């Protein structure tokens, strides 16, 4: 499974960003190969629809779940339609901490 | 004649906090302002996510005039709390959480339910028994 993370910085110890559409980086973690890649968010300064454009962008990487602090309402609707799972951690957590919780 | 029943308003997600409190010179026994969940949602959709009233009303499954009324009421309550220095409690109303969220107690996360794995935590793969309370 590929999981996308909304991140503030481009490394695995970065905190999960509060806002899915406006974060600086996306981390895409593959649970099979245990490798992560980091993508700069091309839509972070977009005036409108940053979240929905980012969903399409991340879909190209074949993600099945997204971890972020909060999702906008339009993004929630879109992700439900595309059957992608949304994960919201309680409090502030790093990408590494979430990955450690993952079990096959 | 009994009043017409209110249509149930859809909200995306409840706030993770219970309300707001002013700081500084707090009056003892200052009255509280109760903002209901649909009013919170109206402010969020309109002023935080910058949707138009008609887009936001579609999202909440209510008519545009009803949305505008809820939004006005929310603004007045917030203004009252702001000026009078009252506490705001976010509670009650007639709404239902549209997206089905579940919580995993082990991982301390909430996740949305998808068709594939409706009742299993996406991280630790433990089946989740307890559903989030829906009012």
């Amino acid at each position: 499974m590929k999981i996308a993370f909304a991140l503030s910085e481009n490394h695995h110890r970065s905190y999960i960003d509060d806002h899915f559409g406006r974060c600086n980086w996306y981390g895409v973690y593959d649970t099979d190969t245990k490798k992560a890649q980091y993508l700069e968010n091309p839509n972070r300064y977009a005036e409108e629809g940053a979240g929905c454009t980012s969903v399409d962008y991340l879909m190209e990487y074949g993600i099945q779940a997204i971890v972020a602090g909060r999702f906008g309402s339009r993004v929630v609707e879109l992700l439900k339609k595309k059957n992608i799972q949304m994960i919201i951690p309680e409090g502030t957590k790093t990408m590494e901490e979430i990955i450690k919780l993952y079990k096959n | 004649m009994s009043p017409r029943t209110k249509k149930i308003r859809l909200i995306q997600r409840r706030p993770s906090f219970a309300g707001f409190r002013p700081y500084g010179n707090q009056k003892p026994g200052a009255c509280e302002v109760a903002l209901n969940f649909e009013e919170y949602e109206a402010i969020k959709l309109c002023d935080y996510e910058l949707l138009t009233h008609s887009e936001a009303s579609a999202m909440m499954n209510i008519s545009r005039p009803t949305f505008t009324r809820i939004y006005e009421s929310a603004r007045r309550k917030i203004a009252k709390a702001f000026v009078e220095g009252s506490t705001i409690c976010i509670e009650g109303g007639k709404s239902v959480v549209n997206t089905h969220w579940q919580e995993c107690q082990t991982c301390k996360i909430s996740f949305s339910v998808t068709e594939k794995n409706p009742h299993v935590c996406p991280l630790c793969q433990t089946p989740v028994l307890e559903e989030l309370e829906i009012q």
Side-chain angles (χ1 to χ4, degrees):
Chain A
M1 183 166 83
K2 278 186 175 172
I3 309 173
F5 293 80
L7 301 174
S8 325
E9 292 158 35
N10 60 343
H11 54 85
H12 66 283
R13 292 217 170 89
S14 162
Y15 286 108
I16 307 288
D17 203 279
D18 254 352
H19 202 307
F20 168 69
R22 308 267 169 208
C23 64
N24 291 333
W25 293 87
Y26 291 115
V28 177
Y29 179 74
D30 190 327
T31 55
D32 299 323
T33 62
K34 301 200 187 312
K35 282 199 174 104
Q37 55 177 321
Y38 301 93
L39 316 157
E40 206 167 350
N41 179 2
N43 315 306
R44 67 182 130 154
Y45 302 119
E47 283 201 0
E48 231 182 277
C52 294
T53 325
S54 293
V55 171
D56 293 333
Y57 176 65
L58 291 172
M59 285 294 282
E60 289 172 28
Y61 292 87
I63 54 135
Q64 283 153 292
I66 301 179
V67 185
R70 190 173 51 236
F71 296 90
S73 340
R74 280 193 277 212
V75 173
V76 171
E77 291 301 315
L78 186 66
L79 292 176
K80 273 202 284 188
K81 230 176 272 165
K82 294 194 186 274
N83 217 5
I84 293 174
Q85 199 154 36
M86 289 166 271
I87 300 170
I88 301 180
E90 245 174 64
T92 17
K93 287 216 174 77
T94 62
M95 174 168 163
E96 191 181 31
E97 285 169 325
I98 298 288
I99 290 172
K100 274 189 190 153
L101 294 170
Y102 184 82
K103 292 187 192 98
N104 275 316
Chain B
M1 216 165 69
S2 61
R4 201 156 62 89
T5 48
K6 275 185 189 158
K7 204 168 165 182
I8 288 175
R9 291 85 194 246
L10 296 181
I11 65 170
Q12 295 292 344
R13 199 176 147 77
R14 295 215 171 147
S16 53
F17 44 86
F20 291 91
R21 206 162 38 193
Y23 71 93
N25 187 13
Q26 219 175 335
K27 277 179 274 173
C31 69
E32 287 186 343
V33 168
L35 191 74
N36 56 41
F37 289 116
E38 53 262 39
E39 288 168 337
Y40 164 84
E41 185 78 2
I43 294 280
K44 189 190 98 182
L45 292 177
C46 223
D47 294 327
Y48 185 79
E49 297 188 11
L50 306 177
L51 303 191
T52 64
H53 283 205
S54 73
E55 284 170 320
S57 62
M59 209 74 106
M60 289 175 72
N61 197 27
I62 50 178
S63 73
R64 216 243 344 116
T66 305
F67 177 83
T68 305
R69 209 171 47 246
I70 293 171
Y71 176 71
E72 276 302 315
S73 156
R75 273 192 19 208
R76 283 181 196 177
K77 284 183 182 175
I78 291 170
K80 185 175 153 58
F82 213 68
V83 174
E84 298 176 5
S86 336
T87 305
I88 301 176
C89 297
I90 306 177
E91 60 187 18
K94 192 172 169 106
S95 60
V96 72
V97 182
N98 186 18
T99 310
H100 198 160
W101 295 92
Q102 285 201 316
E103 277 173 3
C104 174
Q105 299 302 333
T106 327
C107 300
K108 303 261 177 259
I109 56 156
S110 322
F111 57 93
S112 69
V113 170
T114 56
E115 282 167 29
K116 266 182 274 166
N117 280 334
H119 302 289
V120 175
C121 169
L123 298 178
C124 66
Q125 314 295 336
T126 318
V128 177
L129 301 170
E130 203 181 323
E131 292 199 0
L132 274 183
E133 178 201 348
I134 291 173
Q135 274 179 8

